[in-house]
Amino acid sequence: MNKLGLFLTFLCLFGIALACESDYNPNLVTIGECKANDVAHWRETDSLPVVNPADLPAADRTVHEERMAYILSLARAQNKKFVASIYSPAGELLCVGINTGSPNIISHGEIVAINNCTTLHGIKSFTGHTLYTTGEPCAMCASALLWADFKTIVWGTFNSDLLCKICMSNIPMDSSYIFSRYYGLRPTAPVLIGGVLRADADAWFGTYCNRPTSIYYIKPQCACQNTSSPLNVTQTLVNTWIDGNQVQYSQFNAVIRNNANNVTVTNPTFKSLPSGVNPTQIWGLQKTSVADQWVLSWNPMLTPNQTFSFGYIIQGATELTFNAEAQH
C-alpha cells in the first residue's frame, strides 16, 4: 500500500473513532426550532391586515381604481365574473387572466394570469409584481400567489360577501389567513388591499341566491352580525359671530342618543367629517391618536336610550359630521 493509501485509511479510521465517541441521541439534537422528539406546531399567527382603499393616499387609490375598473370592464365584455391582471414593478400591464372554466375547474383568473405571464414573458417568479382580481383570491389562489412571491394583491369583492351575500360557492376562508402564513416561504408579508371599487365589483357579481340551479349557487352557512351603531348624533346651531379679523365662527351643541332598547354601547368612537377639519374648541369629546376619531371625555358607556351632550366651536358656519363607529 502506498503512502497515499495509508493516509486515507488513517483518516477513515480516525473519523470512525470520533463518531463512536458518543452515540447519536435525537433528544439532544435541535432541528429548526423543535427538538427531534418534540411535537411541532406552527406558531400562532394573526391574519394579515387588509388595507382599506379609503386609507390610501389619493394618488395611489386612483391608480388602483383605474386598474380595477379595467379588469371589471374586461369581465363585463367577456361576461365572466373572475378576471385578474398582473403589473410589473415598474407599473406595466403584463397580462390578464380570465376564468372561463377551461381547461379545468381550477383554472381561476389568478392562475390563468400567472400562466399567461410565464408563456408571454418567461416570468417564473413574480417578486415585486402586483396582481389585481375582481374577487378576493380563494384559498387555492392565495397559496399560489404566495408561492409566486407577489408583492401586492388587490381585489374588489370579498370572499365573505361572495359566499354569504351572493350565494356563490367558495371555500369559506379569508385570504388574509393564508397570506399570514407567508413566513414559511418568504421573509416579508405581501400587501393586501381589499374592496377597491367594491360597490362596482359587488354589482357585477350580482346574486345567485335566487338561482339555485346555477353551477355557482350554494346555500350559505354564515354567521351574520349587524355592526351598525345604535347611536345617533343630532346638532343645533346656538351662536355665530365674526371676530375682529372678520373671521366667522359658529358654536354647535350636540346630543348623542343610544336608540337601542336592549344594547349598552361601551367605549364608542366617532369619526368626524370633513377629514382633517378640527374645531377650535370642543367639550365632551376628546381626540384619539387616530385621524379624525373622537371618544367620550367621560362616561365610557351609553345604556339603552341614554343621551350624552357635547359641543364645539368651529371656524365658518358649517357643522362637522360625527358618525358613530361603535361596535356592540
Side-chain angles (χ1 to χ4, degrees):
M1 183 179 294
N2 57 31
K3 292 182 178 180
L4 178 60
L6 288 172
F7 178 70
L8 293 175
T9 301
F10 170 77
L11 287 180
C12 290
L13 293 173
F14 182 71
I16 293 172
L18 288 178
C20 292
E21 283 186 0
S22 60
D23 293 334
Y24 170 72
N25 185 349
N27 296 330
L28 301 178
V29 176
T30 298
I31 302 175
E33 294 183 354
C34 302
K35 292 182 179 179
N37 64 337
D38 288 345
V39 176
H41 295 284
W42 319 120
R43 65 177 172 87
E44 292 295 325
T45 304
D46 293 330
S47 295
L48 283 185
V50 178
V51 177
N52 186 328
D55 295 331
L56 294 170
D60 292 348
R61 184 169 64 251
T62 297
V63 170
H64 293 312
E65 288 178 348
E66 289 175 349
R67 294 176 179 179
M68 184 61 65
Y70 174 67
I71 57 174
L72 282 171
S73 68
L74 288 180
R76 295 187 187 98
Q78 298 294 322
N79 195 27
K80 299 297 180 183
K81 299 300 183 183
F82 294 96
V83 177
S85 62
I86 296 175
Y87 286 78
S88 73
E92 177 188 3
L93 174 61
L94 298 177
C95 50
V96 298
I98 301 175
N99 182 351
T100 64
S102 178
N104 54 52
I105 199 169
I106 65 171
S107 298
H108 290 194
E110 299 94 323
I111 305 300
V112 174
I114 290 172
N115 289 337
N116 285 345
C117 268
T118 300
T119 300
L120 292 172
H121 305 288
I123 302 173
K124 296 182 179 179
S125 177
F126 291 82
T127 304
H129 290 64
T130 299
L131 180 136
Y132 293 81
T133 173
T134 52
E136 180 180 354
C138 69
M140 176 189 74
C141 291
S143 299
L145 297 179
L146 272 184
W147 278 104
D149 201 29
F150 279 91
K151 178 182 179 181
T152 306
I153 298 98
V154 186
W155 64 82
T157 295
F158 283 81
N159 278 336
S160 54
D161 288 345
L162 285 171
L163 180 62
C164 297
K165 297 181 181 179
I166 297 174
C167 302
M168 179 177 276
S169 57
N170 198 358
I171 297 174
M173 180 181 293
D174 295 328
S175 65
S176 58
Y177 176 85
I178 298 292
F179 288 124
S180 69
R181 272 62 187 165
Y182 70 90
Y183 59 85
L185 293 173
R186 51 197 274 187
T188 57
V191 176
L192 310 179
I193 305 173
V196 173
L197 296 186
R198 183 176 184 176
D200 292 346
D202 289 353
W204 170 240
F205 281 103
T207 181
Y208 291 89
C209 298
N210 58 354
R211 299 166 62 185
T213 59
S214 169
I215 61 171
Y216 293 120
Y217 171 82
I218 194 166
K219 181 177 174 58
Q221 300 181 46
C222 300
C224 304
Q225 180 183 9
N226 183 357
T227 58
S228 60
S229 173
L231 303 183
N232 182 58
V233 181
T234 58
Q235 301 188 57
T236 303
L237 174 65
V238 295
N239 196 9
T240 184
W241 65 93
I242 297 177
D243 69 4
N245 296 318
Q246 300 302 304
V247 177
Q248 183 180 14
Y249 290 89
S250 300
Q251 177 183 336
F252 292 89
N253 287 346
V255 176
I256 303 169
R257 177 181 292 276
N258 181 359
N259 290 322
N261 293 322
N262 55 4
V263 175
T264 295
V265 180
T266 303
N267 298 319
T269 59
F270 301 85
K271 200 80 167 179
S272 61
L273 295 171
S275 178
V277 178
N278 293 313
T280 57
Q281 296 182 46
I282 190 167
W283 51 94
L285 296 183
Q286 61 186 31
K287 213 166 185 306
T288 73
S289 59
V290 178
D292 307 313
Q293 188 183 68
W294 305 82
V295 295
L296 307 184
S297 296
W298 60 87
N299 192 25
M301 66 175 62
L302 290 171
T303 58
N305 298 309
Q306 183 180 359
T307 60
F308 181 92
S309 298
F310 71 95
Y312 61 94
I313 296 172
I314 191 169
Q315 185 174 322
T318 304
E319 67 186 43
L320 292 175
T321 298
F322 289 87
N323 294 320
E325 299 181 313
Q327 304 293 310
H328 59 277

